[in-house]
Amino acid sequence: DHVFMSVWHQRAPAKFVSTLPQAIANETYSDPQNSWVNRFNWDRTFTNTLLNHMSMGYLNRNEGYGSVNQGFLDDFPRIPGVAGYNVPPRIQFVDDQFTAYGSNAGVNIGNVTTRPTFIINDMVTWTKGAHTLKFGMEFRKIMGNIHNNGNQAGTFEFGAGATGLVGSNSGSPIASFLLGAVDNGNAAFRAVDSRYPRQHAWIFHGGDTWRVNNKLTIDYGLRWDYYSPSSEKYDRFSFFDPAGAN
């Protein structure tokens, strides 16, 4: 028997980097942010002509993005009518020369996404005379665990129109902001803030390498792949295909 295993882990610390002071920063950060890639192989030799190879693998990416300024929630007014108050609202301006205040990404813990994926495959190799026969299978389980709480406190944009003169290219987005004259705004209202996509695959294959003589070798085989349609763990996905059969 021959056994091989590898474990790989990557982790990055949270980085609260911002151009503006952190209380009004518009950047995001990620915490947690880590990955796992693990492998296990097992080769077993039954006889001089019969070998089995089995492999397993696990992959996962774990990350949660949030607003750099989420810790300053109580330093800002809570605008009525939005979906929630988990971070300060985002203030942005129609004129690109003015930097936006705040981030609408939400709280990192409420945005954690993981992508666990499992795989196992097995292959038998059997040498008999002039033939080398190989038969195998593979199973894959692909998953996602997605959470989102972004833009609950709203995004509000200010333009020059509210403080400009009619028929004149005037006004200032900053002046409109100081007066509280919003040009447009939006917030995310979610009935479901988490979703769990799932998919799996089965593969079966068989083949033969036939050494007819010293000058001729023939390889042939069959392979069957099945990929399941995407689904959601709690049946909260729907799909529409305009070209599909009714």
Side-chain angles (χ1 to χ4, degrees), residues 178-198:
L178 295 175
L179 292 175
V182 179
D183 183 83
N184 65 83
N186 63 82
F189 293 80
R190 298 179 179 85
V192 176
D193 58 8
S194 302
R195 54 197 188 276
Y196 305 89
R198 299 288 188 265

Side-chain angles (χ1 to χ4, degrees), residues 75-106:
D75 295 341
F76 292 83
R78 300 189 175 188
I79 300 173
V82 296
Y85 304 104
N86 55 352
V87 297
R90 176 177 171 86
I91 306 300
Q92 58 190 34
F93 306 97
V94 175
D95 194 329
D96 290 337
Q97 68 176 311
F98 298 109
T99 302
Y101 302 160
S103 166
N104 58 12

Side-chain angles (χ1 to χ4, degrees), residues 4-82:
F4 171 80
M5 183 175 67
S6 66
V7 178
W8 182 87
H9 182 64
Q10 172 267 334
R11 180 178 295 271
K15 301 179 180 65
F16 298 91
V17 178
S18 62
T19 302
L20 298 172
Q22 189 175 343
I24 57 173
N26 55 34
E27 290 85 359
T28 62
Y29 77 102
S30 181
D31 184 30
Q33 186 180 122
N34 57 72
S35 299
W36 288 96
V37 181
N38 304 329
R39 294 180 61 192
F40 176 80
N41 295 340
W42 179 21
D43 291 323
R44 183 179 182 95
T45 303
F46 292 96
T47 68
N48 291 337
T49 60
L50 185 61
L51 170 70
N52 187 80
H53 173 79
M54 187 269 289
S55 296
M56 294 188 295
Y58 171 74
L59 166 68
N60 195 6
R61 174 70 178 170
N62 181 19
E63 57 191 5
Y65 286 94
S67 303
V68 167
N69 68 332
Q70 67 185 45
F72 297 87
L73 174 63
D74 294 332
D75 295 341
F76 292 83
R78 300 189 175 188
I79 300 173
V82 296

